[in-house]
Amino acid sequence: MQQFILLLSLLFLHNCSRTFCQSSVQSPTPTKAPVPPPSLAVPTDTIKILLKAGRFLSFVRLMKATQVDTQLFSQLNSSTDGITMFAPNDNAFSSRVAGAVGSLNDREKLEFVQFHILPRFLSISDFQTVSNPVKTLAGSDNKLPLTITTSDNSVKISSGLTKTSVSNTIYTDKQVAIYEVDKVLVPKDLFPPAPPAPAPAKPVEESPVAPRDASVGAIVVLHHHLVFFGVGVYIAALVFTL
């Protein structure tokens, strides 16, 4: 009897161990969900921002014509310095200004647009500590001076030929800052000041003619009368002698 109970116990333990092993082998190993790769940051589309604002069409056309929009996309994609743009609104492009810009060649138009963009991000508070002249995408030599000053929360900009100020913040995202200005920034290199007009020529003054002395005139008339009188007397004398 004891042997029979022992045999049953051994069979029971054997079956349990097989069941446990099968269950442990067949149970799938939990896997972690795949982690998606980090998304790459897309550079800010400056053209889209200006078009959304709705009053920078003239400047947008110049950016596209000179391919500055492509340059900005590449720069923002490869650098963390950011950019700062002073965007003239459409009212800034008067007929006179538009005509002057239209007369520039392709290289000069590129320089003109780049002169409105700084190769680093500047917030409104950053303008208080900038060093003048400020470097633009067009350069920083003495032909392209751009100075920025602040006064009473106002940011004033001067190109030497143009003086304006920031009238509105269009966009800022810690990498791109776009500020509205009411005048185009005119660099000296492209629009040198016109030479002063020559002074009008002075009229030639005629030498004053001294009036004839009245006494001299009277003497001449009296002389003529005496001559005629003498001639008359001589003729009369000849007549009487004949």
Side-chain angles (χ1 to χ4, degrees):
M1 185 65 179
Q2 292 179 351
Q3 293 178 351
F4 180 75
I5 294 174
L6 179 61
L7 180 62
L8 289 177
S9 299
L10 292 174
L11 290 174
F12 177 78
L13 292 175
H14 177 71
N15 290 333
C16 288
S17 61
R18 286 187 60 188
T19 302
F20 176 77
C21 292
Q22 290 177 355
S23 62
S24 61
V25 172
Q26 293 177 359
S27 60
T29 303
T31 58
K32 296 182 180 179
V35 178
S39 58
L40 299 177
V42 179
T44 303
D45 190 337
T46 55
I47 294 292
K48 184 177 180 180
I49 294 170
L50 293 173
L51 289 176
K52 185 177 180 181
R55 54 185 180 276
F56 301 94
L57 297 181
S58 298
F59 193 60
V60 166
R61 283 194 291 266
L62 283 170
M63 289 180 63
K64 289 184 175 181
T66 56
Q67 298 184 352
V68 170
D69 57 332
T70 304
Q71 178 186 1
L72 294 182
F73 185 89
S74 176
Q75 179 168 335
L76 292 173
N77 193 45
S78 60
S79 173
T80 59
D81 293 336
I83 63 164
T84 299
M85 179 186 298
F86 299 113
N89 55 38
D90 290 332
N91 292 333
F93 287 88
S94 63
S95 58
R96 181 178 62 85
V97 172
V101 174
S103 65
L104 301 175
N105 59 38
D106 292 342
R107 180 194 63 80
E108 292 170 336
K109 286 180 181 178
L110 173 62
E111 187 176 287
F112 172 78
V113 176
Q114 291 176 330
F115 190 64
H116 291 74
I117 304 171
L118 312 184
R120 58 183 175 129
F121 171 84
L122 291 175
S123 65
I124 291 293
S125 59
D126 290 335
F127 288 125
Q128 299 177 2
T129 57
V130 295
S131 299
N132 291 310
V134 179
K135 182 180 180 181
T136 70
L137 289 183
S140 60
D141 57 28
N142 57 0
K143 293 182 179 180
L144 298 164
L146 188 70
T147 59
I148 300 176
T149 57
T150 58
S151 175
D152 299 330
N153 296 326
S154 175
V155 179
K156 298 180 180 180
I157 311 163
S158 175
S159 69
L161 297 178
T162 301
K163 291 183 179 181
T164 186
S165 58
V166 172
S167 59
N168 191 22
T169 299
I170 302 300
Y171 180 84
T172 181
D173 64 359
K174 304 303 181 182
Q175 185 186 24
V176 173
I178 302 178
Y179 302 107
E180 180 178 1
V181 291
D182 297 327
K183 294 181 181 178
V184 298
L185 301 177
V186 181
K188 291 181 178 181
D189 183 36
L190 300 182
F191 302 96
K202 294 182 179 180
V204 178
E205 297 181 358
E206 297 182 359
S207 301
V209 178
R212 297 179 65 183
D213 194 341
S215 60
V216 174
I219 293 173
V220 172
V221 173
L222 180 59
H223 174 72
H224 287 172
H225 282 287
L226 290 175
V227 170
F228 285 118
F229 177 74
V231 173
V233 171
Y234 176 74
I235 294 173
L238 287 177
V239 171
F240 282 116
T241 56
L242 296 174

